[in-house]
Amino acid sequence: MKNRKKTNFENDYLLLENRLFMKMMLMMVCSLLVIAGVYLFILKDNFANAVVAILEHFIYHDRDEAAVVYLKTFKRYEFWLFLLAILGVFFVVFRMFVGNVSKYFKEINRGIDSLVNEDAQDIALPAELASTERKINSIRHTLTKRKTDAELAEQRKNDLVVYLAHDLKTPLSSVIGYLTLLRDEGQISDELRERYLSISLDKAERLEDLINEFFEITRFNLSNITLIYSKINLTRMLEQLAYEFKPMLAEKNLKLEFEMQPDIFISCDANKMQRVFDNLLRNAVSYCNADTSIKIAAEQIEDHVSIKVMNEGNTIPQERLERIFEQFYRLDVSRSSATGGAGLGLAIAKEIVVLHHGQITARSEDGFTCFELSLPVVGKS
């Protein structure tokens, strides 16, 4: 693979090498022709006749005297004049070649300037610099993506503060309100006191749940989590978790149906994976119609396990389904902090599944919603 990349890298610059080579050869041929012309002009009689004619016409007006002056001044230095002419030709040729090479550097600098200026359009370079063009555009796309990700991270941080302030304010206000009533009302019945205390306790517990949720999503986003893998019986885990949900199921008269292969074993972080199924079941119970059933199906397909959690309820529109795993997103916008979560359960579930190198998707149609997980049987550290 490494050798293939090296070969591709060399081929990318083959056009540039060929183009420079052809220009150099053309300049060398032109140089030889010019030198040949200089040789024929200087070392042959043409140069001598031209100089004698010039001296005779403008200065001495006598050909013999002009010829003597030529022999004393020019003929003696004929070789050096020829050498100087050759050096002049090579200087001009070398300067032209350097100019051709520097043109490519100017094009690269133009591309870098465009990169620094964050121009929206892709950078275009000559065909000989196609590889450099691809790399610069790749860097531009990477920087653009990083900038977008940074802006989204900043927005998520701001959303976290906003949701934190909003969701915590409601139960906190209730706790303060009922405690204030208990303090200010001198004559209050035991029954009313018990009621105020009970409401205050419920709101305080709700406040604790919300704080735990915020800490949980922050931990999953900002920490380098190390998964502790162990071999677990997935079938038994789901059955045990369903047993713990009996009180919640009873409130809406829901039934839990299983369609699972017996003794499916996978390697995963048991605690975190249990959190995933806990969040999915809570979501199913919350949005399931009363007097219906929630179905859990699991089967092993080659080296992966497919788990489905299905419930009957309102069909989720596609535009909401695409955002269902976003942080703080609630399907039912009318659900307040008192009746719904902070919109973090499914986001946390996805974080955990991705950490296990798995996938989680959701679909909803004809009044049925299904969350499907695909997890590798053998964990990848």
Side-chain angles (χ1 to χ4, degrees):
M1 185 67 179
K2 186 176 181 181
N3 292 334
R4 185 185 303 172
K5 289 183 178 179
K6 184 177 179 181
T7 302
N8 292 337
F9 178 80
E10 292 174 351
N11 291 337
D12 285 341
Y13 288 99
L14 188 60
L15 179 60
L16 177 61
E17 292 175 1
N18 291 337
R19 186 66 59 87
L20 291 176
F21 178 75
M22 293 300 296
K23 288 183 177 180
M24 184 180 68
M25 292 301 298
L26 180 62
M27 291 179 182
M28 291 297 295
V29 171
C30 293
S31 300
L32 292 175
L33 293 175
V34 171
I35 291 172
V38 171
Y39 172 79
L40 294 174
F41 183 73
I42 292 180
L43 298 183
K44 298 298 181 179
D45 294 338
N46 295 334
F47 179 72
N49 293 334
V51 173
V52 170
I54 292 172
L55 292 175
E56 178 188 1
H57 183 75
F58 291 102
I59 300 176
Y60 299 104
H61 305 290
D62 182 78
R63 185 169 183 81
D64 293 335
E65 186 177 1
V68 172
V69 172
Y70 167 76
L71 292 174
K72 290 181 179 180
T73 56
F74 290 96
K75 186 65 176 178
R76 185 183 302 176
Y77 304 105
E78 188 176 51
F79 173 77
W80 297 106
L81 289 173
F82 178 68
L83 183 61
L84 183 63
I86 291 176
L87 292 175
V89 171
F90 274 109
F91 175 80
V92 173
V93 171
F94 182 75
R95 184 68 184 84
M96 292 175 62
F97 181 76
V98 171
N100 275 279
V101 174
S102 64
K103 179 186 69 174
Y104 295 117
F105 285 99
K106 291 178 182 178
E107 290 292 329
I108 294 174
N109 284 333
R110 181 180 63 80
I112 294 175
D113 289 338
S114 179
L115 186 67
V116 172
N117 295 330
E118 299 181 352
D119 293 343
Q121 295 181 346
D122 280 351
I123 298 160
L125 297 178
E128 304 93 295
L129 299 175
S131 177
T132 303
E133 175 186 306
R134 288 195 298 271
K135 289 181 180 179
I136 292 179
N137 283 323
S138 176
I139 294 172
R140 188 183 70 82
H141 295 155
T142 301
L143 293 176
T144 301
K145 184 178 183 303
R146 288 180 179 176
K147 181 180 179 181
T148 302
D149 291 343
E151 291 174 350
L152 290 175
E154 182 67 20
Q155 184 61 44
R156 283 196 296 267
K157 184 185 73 174
N158 294 336
D159 290 342
L160 178 64
V161 174
V162 172
Y163 276 98
L164 182 64
H166 178 268
D167 282 1
L168 299 185
K169 184 177 180 181
T170 301
L172 184 60
S173 299
S174 297
V175 171
I176 294 174
Y178 282 106
L179 291 179
T180 302
L181 288 175
L182 289 172
R183 183 196 63 183
D184 294 342
E185 291 189 18
Q187 301 294 329
I188 186 173
S189 65
D190 292 340
E191 181 181 355
L192 195 56
R193 183 188 305 275
E194 182 67 24
R195 180 183 176 189
Y196 287 173
L197 287 173
S198 177
I199 295 175
S200 298
L201 180 61
D202 289 341
K203 298 298 180 181
E205 290 174 347
R206 174 61 185 163
L207 188 62
E208 181 184 27
D209 291 339
L210 286 172
I211 291 174
N212 288 336
E213 280 192 280
F214 283 115
F215 276 132
E216 192 72 17
I217 195 65
T218 303
R219 182 168 67 88
F220 273 97
N221 277 343
L222 303 180
S223 300
N224 184 16
I225 298 174
T226 301
L227 299 177
I228 303 175
Y229 282 93
S230 61
K231 190 174 182 180
I232 67 166
N233 189 321
L234 180 64
T235 306
R236 291 186 180 179
M237 173 190 279
L238 293 174
E239 290 173 347
Q240 181 180 355
L241 188 62
Y243 180 81
E244 296 173 0
F245 267 77
K246 278 188 175 181
M248 292 184 62
L249 296 170
E251 292 178 3
K252 299 178 70 172
N253 194 27
L254 300 175
K255 293 181 179 179
L256 203 55
E257 298 179 356
F258 291 100
E259 191 176 304
M260 300 187 295
Q261 294 177 353
D263 297 327
I264 300 175
F265 287 91
I266 65 170
S267 179
C268 66
D269 188 312
N271 291 330
K272 292 182 176 61
M273 195 54 61
Q274 184 173 352
R275 178 69 184 272
V276 171
F277 298 122
D278 183 275
N279 286 345
L280 291 178
L281 278 175
R282 286 181 184 276
N283 183 81
V285 171
S286 298
Y287 293 98
C288 187
N289 292 336
D291 303 316
T292 58
S293 299
I294 296 175
K295 183 178 178 180
I296 300 178
E299 63 174 335
Q300 182 174 342
I301 305 174
E302 296 181 351
D303 60 346
H304 281 70
V305 173
S306 173
I307 306 104
K308 298 178 182 178
V309 179
M310 295 164 280
N311 66 275
E312 183 178 348
N314 295 330
T315 301
I316 303 172
Q318 184 62 33
E319 61 273 13
R320 293 190 178 182
L321 201 62
E322 292 175 354
R323 301 184 57 194
I324 201 168
F325 295 107
E326 293 182 9
Q327 297 174 16
F328 313 116
Y329 185 75
R330 293 190 179 109
L331 284 175
D332 187 354
V333 294
S334 65
R335 288 169 67 89
S336 65
S337 296
T339 58
L344 299 174
L346 294 178
I348 292 174
K350 183 176 181 179
E351 290 278 354
I352 297 173
V353 171
V354 171
L355 282 172
H356 282 82
H357 303 276
Q359 294 181 337
I360 181 170
T361 57
R363 66 176 187 272
S364 183
E365 55 187 5
D366 299 328
F368 288 90
T369 299
C370 176
F371 288 88
E372 183 172 359
L373 286 76
S374 178
L375 296 170
V377 174
V378 179
K380 302 176 183 179
S381 58

